[in-house]
């Protein structure tokens, strides 16, 4: 009954019982001469294979298009595409089925399908980070174990009851215990796919679900291997075959760890940082996969487990893991995997399902589902998780995917389950995935954990307290500019700075997103770039002892969801400001990340645009006698401009910084918001009072009547400044900005920020665009979210 038991021939994982019952002389030729020379292309191996792949790809793409408004997983569309081609739909027509699936073509299709699913499984193994077991917390460990053990207990009890109390077909009765296992096992790839499509992979919710599923997966595999070994021993005792197979398994693992893995590390050393993987390295690794498959086939070892172990041995991340994913994933998913989908689809026959057996199989499916949900919910609620989140974790843990379907197919070949049970299990796995993803999307709100009910801004920070800043690093080039911004923030013994440095690394080639604390994980998952960044900020801390404290982190996650780590860390460390480097020609994914942080951050956010020749490129520290910055604050009004002015007020206290505040106001404007106007005047007056005796602080009022005059004022400031501070959001309908909003190219920088960073603005000054945090309990700031309806003086 083991879902991992090995195959004894190349078509073990794909040929059904009925399809092995015929005997055909295999004389199918490769390619036809064409219809004009009298050949029927569908009587030749290559054309018929292309027709099968083309049809399943067409149906899968069609279902993806039809299901897109319902936000269904791609797994659902692919399986439905295969089913549509099988006997449940088009294949129900015998003439069509014999034309598309002639008996002579099944061997070729099954071989291609097996190779496809094995390479797919190899990529799954590459995504598996076994170190998560060591780092998993107690909650992940408990959920992982209970999510396998509880459904196994329920379904086993159900199997015993049905076997003793209900009369049924002998073949179906034999499959009861296999059904209990397959509905209890969890394979993390299905959970990984759902979390990726929901963009929850590196959220707290996603990390808990993924780490728990990996633990549960290992429990499933361990249970299967133990049961198979015990059954083999019972049937033949400690025979030579059992001992030989176990020895071959151990030898296989030893060979991978002591021969293949060192070769992989040698490849990594021979690949320069930032370079792609060499083609002959990719060929060598592909040959390792084929050699692994051949060895397992000859020795009677489980094929699926063999390629998974080899995949797990591949070091994750660049250059090897990410390089292999880039080279192989598209070909496997677009060419090889559809052959497996065709093989699955032609075995699912809804017309062969009887109502009585459907009810019995459904009991096992329901028992496994409830066991997984309860097994995840109870430990989560005990650890004070919200009930809704605990329920959603249980739902995600019950998801199934291609690897589960692979085990179902293998069980069908081994006669552990009937073809009817197989059809029901595949259909219900597809239905479950189709229901769970939209349900989780509608019930889970990842932004609510980042809501702050206290002020976390520079403006509202006490001048005699620590200022906490989260500085994000996308590239090594960002380091000098960030360090100089931190230095300009004026750390002192009265008001020190706590700096949390977060290096952002795109997740490629491994499944588990990571948030590495370099003070507690000094060696794990580190690379040369991370080491250099950590060293640079460590040196900065050493030069500013007792006034600067630095803690470095690395987030390895998809760019589409990496904002979760930024917002979570800002919330956890109670920071007042998040600084994100901005490059106008960066990847679109980074631009999306910046927008997500602006929407979800629990504190103020600053987007730093470091000009190509800006003075921030030069490394400066407090110990440098020539350290000097000329800072300009552009103040028009609103919460973001007040935050920028508060930051400038703090910078002005630095002995080597000169600051100029330019307040632009509208001449003769009569209508204005009294509350906002008063807040703006208070902020300006605070700056003028604090720096009344500071010769390095200059304040100017400039009156304008329309947008073009505002542009003229800004262009007059293009010389003489190294850094410009400006707020992001403001009333774009104001006369001060009339005619300027339509030229704004980068919306996340705001109208003024976009103008200051455009190529038309002749300045080398770097720009920090500031957005102030909006508190959920502050009525004045809450009203500032509706900026489009506000007027400023």
């Amino acid at each position: 009954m083991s879902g991992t038991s090995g195959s004894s021939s190349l078509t073990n994982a794909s040929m059904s019982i009925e399809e092995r019952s015929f005997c055909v002389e295999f004389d199918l030729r490769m390619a036809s001469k064409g219809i004009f020379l009298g050949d029927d292309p569908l009587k030749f191996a290559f054309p018929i294979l292309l027709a099968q792949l083309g049809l399943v790809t067409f149906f899968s793409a069609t279902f993806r298009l039809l299901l897109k408004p319902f936000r269904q997983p791609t797994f659902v569309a692919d399986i439905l595409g295969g089913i549509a081609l099988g006997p449940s739909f088009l294949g129900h027509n015998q003439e069509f089925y014999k034309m598309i699936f002639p008996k002579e073509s099944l061997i070729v299709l099954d071989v291609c399908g097996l190779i496809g699913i094995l390479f797919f499984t190899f990529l799954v193994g590459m995504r598996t980070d076994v170190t998560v077991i060591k780092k998993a917390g107690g909650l992940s460990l408990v959920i992982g174990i209970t999510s396998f053990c509880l459904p196994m207990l329920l379904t086993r009890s159900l199997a015993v009851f049905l076997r003793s109390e209900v009369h049924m077909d002998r073949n179906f009765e034999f499959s009861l215990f296999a059904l209990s296992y397959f509905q209890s096992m969890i394979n993390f790839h299905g959970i990984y796919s759902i979390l990726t499509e929901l963009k929850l992979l590196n959220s707290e919710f996603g990390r808990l679900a993924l780490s728990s599923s990996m633990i549960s997966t290992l429990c499933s595999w361990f249970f299967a291997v133990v049961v198979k070994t015990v059954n083999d021993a019972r049937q033949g005792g400690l025979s030579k075959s059992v001992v030989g197979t176990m020895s071959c398994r151990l030898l296989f693992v030893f060979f991978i760890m002591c021969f293949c893995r060192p070769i992989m590390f040698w490849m990594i050393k021979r690949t320069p940082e930032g370079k792609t993987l060499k083609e002959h390295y990719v060929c060598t690794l592909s040959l390792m996969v084929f050699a692994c498959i051949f060895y397992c086939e000859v020795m009677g070892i489980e094929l699926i487990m063999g390629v998974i172990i080899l995949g797990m041995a591949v070091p994750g991340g660049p250059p090897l893991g990410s390089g292999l994913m880039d080279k192989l994933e598209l070909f496997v998913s677009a060419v090889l995997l559809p052959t497996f989908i065709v093989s699955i689809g032609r075995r699912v026959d809804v017309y062969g399902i009887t109502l009585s057996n459907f009810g019995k199989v459904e009991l096992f499916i329901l028992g496994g589902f409830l066991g997984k949900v309860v097994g995840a919910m109870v430990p989560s609620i005990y650890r004070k998780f919200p009930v809704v989140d605990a329920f959603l974790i249980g739902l995600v843990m019950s998801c199934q995917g291609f690897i589960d379907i692979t085990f179902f197919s293998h069980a069908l070949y081994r006669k552990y389950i009937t073809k009817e049970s197989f059809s029901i299990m595949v259909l219900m796995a597809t239905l479950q995935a189709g229901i769970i993803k939209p349900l989780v999307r509608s019930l889970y709100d990842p932004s609510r954990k980042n809501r702050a009910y206290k002020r976390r801004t520079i403006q509202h920070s006490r001048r005699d307290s620590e200022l906490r800043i989260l500085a994000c690093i996308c590239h090594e080039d960002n380091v000098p500019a960030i360090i100089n911004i931190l230095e300009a923030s004026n750390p002192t013994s009265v008001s020190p700075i706590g700096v949390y440095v977060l290096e952002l690394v795109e997740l490629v080639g491994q499944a588990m997103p990571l948030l590495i604390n370099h003070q507690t994980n000094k060696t794990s998952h580190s690379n040369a770039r991370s080491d250099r960044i950590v060293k640079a900020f460590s040196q900065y801390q050493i030069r500013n002892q007792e006034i600067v404290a630095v803690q470095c982190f690395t987030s390895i996650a998809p760019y589409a969801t990496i904002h979760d780590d930024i917002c979570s860390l800002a919330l956890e460390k109670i920071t007042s400001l998040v600084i994100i480097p901005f490059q106008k020609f960066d990847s679109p994914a980074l631009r999306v990340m910046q927008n997500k942080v602006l929407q979800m951050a629990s504190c103020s956010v600053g987007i730093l645009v470091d000009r190509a020749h800006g003075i921030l490129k030069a490394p400066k520290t407090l110990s440098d006698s020539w350290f000097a910055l000329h800072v300009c604050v552009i103040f028009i009004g609103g919460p973001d401009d007040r935050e920028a002015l508060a930051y400038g007020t703090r910078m002005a206290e630095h002995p080597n910084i000169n600051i100029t505040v330019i307040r632009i106001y509208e001449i003769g404007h009569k209508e204005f918001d009294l509350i906002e106007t008063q807040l703006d005047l208070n902020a300006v007056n605070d700056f003028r009072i604090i720096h009344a005796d500071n010769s390095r602080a200059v304040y100017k009022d400039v009156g304008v009547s329309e947008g073009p005059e505002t542009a003229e004022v800004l262009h007059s400031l293009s010389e003489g400044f190294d850094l410009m501070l400006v707020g992001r959001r403001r009333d774009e309908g104001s006369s001060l900005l009339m005619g300027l909003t339509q030229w704004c190219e980068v919306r996340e920088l705001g109208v003024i920020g976009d103008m200051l960073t455009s190529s038309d603005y002749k300045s080398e000054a770097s720009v920090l665009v500031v957005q102030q945090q909006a508190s959920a309990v502050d009525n004045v700031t809450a009203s500032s979210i509706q900026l489009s309806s506000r007027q400023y003086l």
Side-chain angles (χ1 to χ4, degrees):
M1 56 142 287
S2 165
T4 58
S5 52
S7 62
S8 59
S9 69
L10 193 58
T11 57
N12 278 0
S14 50
M15 291 182 63
S16 66
I17 302 167
E18 292 79 5
E19 288 163 351
R20 292 186 296 112
S21 61
F22 63 85
C23 181
V24 175
E25 182 181 353
F26 189 78
D27 60 353
L28 194 66
R29 286 171 290 175
M30 179 63 66
S32 72
K33 299 176 183 178
I35 57 176
F36 296 107
L37 294 179
D39 280 349
D40 181 358
L42 296 183
K43 299 297 184 181
F44 295 82
F46 187 60
I48 194 66
L49 179 63
L50 293 180
Q52 293 165 347
L53 295 182
L55 284 172
V56 75
T57 303
F58 169 77
F59 281 112
S60 296
T62 302
F63 278 111
R64 288 188 188 187
L65 183 63
L66 294 175
L67 297 176
K68 186 176 181 180
F70 305 99
R71 298 183 176 182
Q72 292 293 304
T74 55
F75 161 75
V76 172
D78 291 341
I79 292 297
L80 289 179
I83 293 174
L85 195 59
S88 299
F89 187 58
L90 292 180
H92 191 60
N93 184 311
Q94 289 298 315
E95 293 183 2
F96 175 84
Y97 188 82
K98 291 179 180 178
M99 180 177 64
I100 297 300
F101 296 108
K103 294 179 179 180
E104 297 86 350
S105 73
L106 296 181
I107 294 178
V108 177
L109 180 63
D110 288 335
V111 169
C112 293
L114 181 59
I115 294 175
I117 196 59
L118 288 176
F119 265 90
F120 179 78
T121 307
F122 171 70
L123 297 180
V124 171
M126 285 176 53
R127 290 193 179 101
T128 307
D129 183 10
V130 291
T131 60
V132 71
I133 306 301
K134 296 189 297 182
K135 295 180 288 188
L139 181 59
S140 297
L141 190 63
V142 173
I143 292 177
I145 295 174
T146 56
S147 295
F148 171 73
C149 293
L150 187 58
M152 177 63 74
L153 180 63
L154 290 175
T155 53
R156 280 269 168 168
S157 302
L158 181 62
V160 172
F161 172 78
L162 291 177
R163 199 169 189 177
S164 60
E165 300 294 334
V166 180
H167 177 71
M168 62 187 72
D169 178 75
R170 184 175 181 182
N171 290 332
F172 189 84
E173 179 182 354
F174 177 77
S175 69
L176 291 180
F177 290 108
L179 287 174
S180 69
Y181 170 76
F182 288 114
Q183 292 307 315
S184 302
M185 73 175 183
I186 294 176
N187 286 293
F188 87 96
H189 183 264
I191 289 89
Y192 172 80
S193 300
I194 291 290
L195 292 173
T196 301
E197 294 185 13
L198 289 170
K199 298 182 179 179
L200 296 176
L201 197 59
N202 61 309
S203 63
E204 182 183 5
F205 173 91
R207 279 199 174 92
L208 178 61
L210 193 58
S211 59
S212 301
S213 68
M214 285 187 175
I215 293 170
S216 189
T217 298
L218 291 180
C219 291
S220 304
W221 293 349
F222 179 77
F223 179 84
V225 171
V226 169
V227 169
K228 183 179 185 301
T229 303
V230 171
N231 287 340
D232 290 345
R234 284 179 178 177
Q235 292 175 5
L238 293 177
S239 62
K240 291 183 179 180
S241 61
V242 175
V243 175
T245 302
M246 291 299 297
S247 301
C248 290
R249 288 175 183 158
L250 295 175
L251 180 63
F252 176 73
V253 175
F254 176 81
F255 181 79
I256 289 178
M257 299 306 297
C258 297
F259 181 75
C260 296
R261 192 166 167 83
I263 291 178
M264 296 174 189
F265 280 110
W266 178 82
M267 293 178 180
I268 292 175
K269 292 180 180 179
R270 300 276 295 181
T271 304
E273 186 174 356
K275 300 294 183 179
T276 58
L277 199 64
K278 296 179 181 178
E279 292 295 334
H280 61 275
Y281 290 169
V282 177
C283 294
T284 301
L285 292 167
S286 300
L287 286 175
M288 285 186 185
V289 178
F290 283 113
C292 161
I293 296 172
F294 181 77
Y295 178 85
C296 293
E297 183 69 18
V298 171
M299 298 299 176
I301 302 173
E302 302 83 355
L303 289 179
I304 294 176
M305 290 301 297
V307 292
I308 283 182
I309 292 173
L310 180 62
M312 292 167 62
V314 178
L320 200 59
S322 59
L324 275 178
M325 294 295 292
D326 291 339
K327 301 286 186 181
L328 297 179
E329 188 169 31
L330 180 61
F331 178 75
V332 171
S333 60
V335 179
L336 294 180
L337 193 58
T339 60
F340 174 74
I341 296 172
V342 173
S343 299
I344 294 300
R346 78 171 196 270
R347 291 178 179 81
V348 176
D349 185 4
V350 296
Y351 297 100
I353 298 175
T354 60
L355 186 61
S356 59
N357 285 340
F358 177 81
K360 296 183 184 72
V361 176
E362 194 62 34
L363 283 176
F364 284 92
I365 294 173
L366 182 61
F369 173 78
L370 291 177
K372 293 171 186 176
V373 172
V374 174
M377 282 188 68
V378 173
S380 301
I381 294 175
Y382 179 77
R383 291 289 295 270
K384 311 300 182 185
F385 260 64
V387 176
V388 173
D389 288 3
F391 173 66
L392 294 179
I393 289 175
L395 285 182
V396 171
M397 291 289 288
S398 64
C399 282
Q400 295 178 321
F402 278 120
I403 299 300
D404 301 89
I405 302 292
T406 304
F407 286 139
F408 299 165
S409 178
H410 189 68
L412 175 63
Y413 169 76
R414 285 291 184 179
K415 303 182 184 180
Y416 297 141
I417 60 175
T418 63
K419 188 173 183 179
E420 184 180 3
S421 299
F422 173 80
S423 299
I424 298 171
M425 291 164 69
V426 172
L427 290 173
M428 293 309 299
T430 307
L431 180 63
Q432 271 188 350
I435 294 175
I436 288 174
K437 181 185 174 183
L439 189 60
V440 174
R441 184 187 295 275
S442 62
L443 294 180
Y444 183 71
D445 180 10
S447 65
R448 67 173 178 258
K449 69 179 186 299
N450 296 314
R451 294 173 187 164
Y453 293 89
K454 293 183 180 180
R455 281 297 194 182
R456 296 187 179 180
T457 69
I458 298 176
Q459 181 185 1
H460 298 90
S461 298
R462 294 173 52 184
R463 297 181 64 193
D464 59 348
S465 63
E466 181 186 46
L467 176 65
R468 297 188 176 187
I469 298 175
L470 173 60
C472 300
I473 304 294
C474 300
H475 309 288
E476 282 186 86
D477 292 343
N478 303 146
V479 173
I482 291 292
I483 288 179
N484 285 308
I485 286 291
L486 296 174
E487 178 56 39
S489 301
N490 190 36
T492 64
S493 57
V494 176
S495 180
I497 292 180
V499 182
Y500 302 95
V501 180
L502 181 62
E503 180 193 9
L504 307 179
V505 179
E506 185 178 15
L507 176 67
V508 180
Q510 61 187 82
M512 191 64 183
L514 300 172
L515 181 61
I516 305 169
N517 184 338
H518 287 282
Q519 289 185 307
T520 58
N521 298 277
K522 294 183 178 179
T523 58
S524 64
H525 293 86
S526 62
N527 54 49
R529 191 183 85 161
S530 297
D531 291 340
R532 290 192 293 268
I533 292 172
V534 171
K535 185 177 181 179
F537 282 97
S538 298
Q539 291 296 320
Y540 173 68
Q541 176 180 272
I542 292 172
R543 290 194 296 265
N544 296 273
Q545 289 184 0
E546 299 183 359
I547 60 174
V548 175
V550 177
Q551 190 171 358
C552 294
F553 298 84
T554 295
S555 171
I556 305 176
Y559 279 155
T561 59
I562 206 167
H563 61 272
D564 282 326
D565 280 342
I566 299 173
C567 296
S568 298
L569 193 60
L571 183 69
E572 177 187 345
K573 301 303 181 182
I574 320 178
T575 60
S576 297
L577 178 67
V578 174
I579 299 177
I580 307 175
F582 178 87
Q583 291 183 354
K584 195 167 185 177
F585 300 104
D586 249 340
S587 67
L590 285 177
R591 295 278 298 279
V592 172
M593 176 270 292
Q594 291 164 348
N595 279 309
K596 289 289 187 180
V597 174
L598 288 169
Q599 295 171 17
M600 300 171 58
S602 60
C603 62
S604 298
V605 179
I607 300 180
L608 177 62
V609 183
D610 190 20
R611 307 287 284 214
H613 303 289
I615 195 169
L616 293 184
K617 287 291 185 182
K620 303 173 185 297
T621 65
L622 186 62
S623 60
D624 294 331
S625 59
W626 50 271
F627 177 86
L629 285 181
H630 295 269
V631 180
C632 177
V633 179
I634 298 174
F635 187 90
I636 296 178
D640 293 354
D641 281 15
R642 293 195 293 270
E643 184 74 356
L645 181 58
Y647 201 14
T649 301
R650 182 182 178 100
M651 289 182 177
E653 298 176 0
H654 195 291
N656 295 330
I657 288 182
N658 293 281
I659 190 165
T660 300
V661 176
I662 307 294
R663 177 174 175 260
I664 303 176
Y665 67 93
E666 188 173 352
I667 299 174
H669 185 55
K670 301 296 183 182
E671 298 178 4
F672 52 84
D673 188 320
L674 291 175
I675 296 177
E676 283 295 314
T677 301
Q678 189 59 51
L679 291 173
D680 292 342
L681 292 176
N682 290 342
V684 170
N685 289 334
D686 286 344
F687 173 81
R688 299 178 72 174
I689 292 171
I690 293 172
H691 296 291
D693 299 325
N694 187 350
S695 60
R696 293 175 288 98
V698 178
Y699 174 83
K700 295 180 181 179
D701 281 318
V702 180
V704 300
S705 57
E706 56 184 1
E709 293 183 15
T710 302
E712 289 180 9
V713 173
L714 295 177
H715 280 284
S716 69
L717 303 175
S718 60
E719 300 294 336
F721 296 106
D722 306 312
L723 175 65
M724 306 191 80
L725 301 181
V726 61
R728 174 177 175 267
R729 300 168 297 182
R730 51 180 46 83
D731 179 14
E732 296 183 358
S734 169
S735 299
L736 294 173
L737 303 176
M738 193 68 67
L740 302 180
T741 57
Q742 59 186 345
W743 299 103
C744 183
E745 297 178 356
V746 186
R747 306 298 296 182
E748 55 263 44
L749 297 179
V751 177
I752 302 299
D754 178 73
M755 183 180 298
L756 295 176
T757 58
S758 69
S759 56
D760 296 331
Y761 189 73
K762 305 303 181 182
S763 173
E764 293 185 351
S766 297
V767 180
L768 183 65
V769 180
V770 180
Q771 173 181 288
Q772 188 178 68
Q773 170 237 10
S775 173
V777 296
D778 191 303
N779 292 331
V780 175
T781 309
S783 65
S784 71
I785 297 175
Q786 306 296 333
L787 290 172
S788 60
S789 63
R790 179 155 304 139
Q791 302 278 344
Y792 294 114
L793 179 63

